[in-house]
Structures are given as structure tokens and as C-alpha cells.
Amino acid sequence: MKARQLGEILTHQKTLTKTTDKVAWLQKHHSPGLTYLLALAHAGVEWDLPPGAPPFKQDPGPIGLTPSHLMRELRIIYLFVKGGSEACGYTPVLPHRREQLFQQLLERLHSDEVAIVMALKDGKFPSTYRCTKAVVNGAFPGLLDQRFELRYFR
């Protein structure tokens, strides 16, 4: 079985209606990236970006053939969160550069993964992807009880 991209996993997650199906689906596709993304969605972090989507050129490639994928790009998410650079021990990024990096991130991802990042940024991930705290706790008990570490280590 080929490994699925995070965009494929969460896009299918939206279509499921029963909580037990959602929990089973998430458990079947367990990965460090998925658990990080789910913890990030429910951690209440504040993004240091202006509201809405920046202007960017969407890559037309099919999923898996875009220049990058969300699993790889999770390692730079801390750049876009308030206090993220400092929390990870780096020099803060200037606002203009942060917005430029975010635009470049979106240009490298498939449209399904761009939708995930935008839902995370706008705080709409749990409702958009039907991934409530109860579903996450059912799939990965204790995940949301742990202290959220902003820096992603694969």
C-alpha cells in the first residue's frame, strides 16, 4: 500500500460521518506528521499572518507531483506562529519576509494541502475537516493532553 499524503488523508476524513469511522481512519494512517498537525489544530496557537490568503500561484500538479508536500513543510510552520522563532531558539523573522515565506510555502503545495494550511491559520480546521477533540482523543488518546511542542521533529 502506498503512503498517502496528509492532504489525501484529511480530505477523505471530511467525507466520513461516523465518529468510529473517523477514529479508525486516523489510526490507520497514523504518522508523526498527522499527530503534529492534529495537535497544532487544537493547541490554540496564534498565527502571525494577516487574515485571508495571500496572492499566490497555485501549482497545477496532481498530489504527490507538486514541488513539495505538507509532511515536509511542517518543519517550517513555527515561522508563521506568534513567538514561534523565539520559542525554537531562532532570530525572529521580519513580517514582510514571513509573509513572503508563507506565500512560497503555499505555491509549493497541492491545493488540498493549501486548504489544510489555510484552515489551520484561520482556526477553522476542526469544523472544516470534522476533526473534533473527541475524534482526536479517540484516535490518539492523550495526544491533546501533552504539552504542544511547536518545533516539528520527524
Side-chain angles (χ1 to χ4, degrees):
M1 179 175 104
K2 91 173 180 119
R4 292 181 182 258
Q5 302 287 335
L6 289 175
E8 292 174 302
I9 295 168
L10 293 170
T11 300
H12 182 74
Q13 170 79 14
K14 283 196 307 191
T15 65
L16 301 175
T17 54
K18 293 183 181 176
T19 302
T20 54
D21 294 341
K22 294 175 188 179
V23 168
W25 179 256
L26 290 175
Q27 288 175 336
K28 179 181 177 184
H29 297 286
H30 178 267
S31 69
L34 180 62
T35 55
Y36 175 83
L37 196 74
L38 295 173
L40 174 67
H42 295 285
V45 297
E46 190 176 346
W47 291 70
D48 200 7
L49 293 165
F56 69 98
K57 185 175 185 259
Q58 180 66 58
D59 188 279
I63 198 156
L65 294 178
T66 52
S68 189
H69 52 86
L70 189 53
M71 184 78 80
R72 179 181 296 148
E73 299 297 339
L74 287 176
R75 62 192 165 88
I76 65 166
I77 291 292
Y78 72 91
L79 293 171
F80 313 116
V81 174
K82 282 196 177 177
S85 296
E86 297 88 348
C88 294
Y90 297 110
T91 306
V93 180
L94 296 173
H96 176 70
R97 179 67 177 143
R98 182 181 305 108
E99 292 170 23
Q100 186 181 39
L101 289 169
F102 188 67
Q103 179 182 7
Q104 291 169 356
L105 165 72
L106 297 179
E107 289 176 350
R108 290 190 300 266
L109 297 176
H110 183 267
S111 59
D112 290 349
E113 294 176 330
V114 168
I116 292 168
V117 172
M118 293 308 298
L120 284 168
K121 181 181 93 59
D122 296 336
K124 298 177 182 174
F125 181 86
S127 60
T128 304
Y129 289 91
R130 297 180 180 180
C131 206
T132 62
K133 286 186 178 186
V135 170
V136 175
N137 281 327
F140 310 112
L143 175 67
L144 300 181
D145 298 333
Q146 300 171 3
R147 183 178 165 271
F148 177 69
E149 183 63 41
L150 186 56
R151 186 70 194 257
Y152 173 67
F153 294 106
R154 192 170 166 188

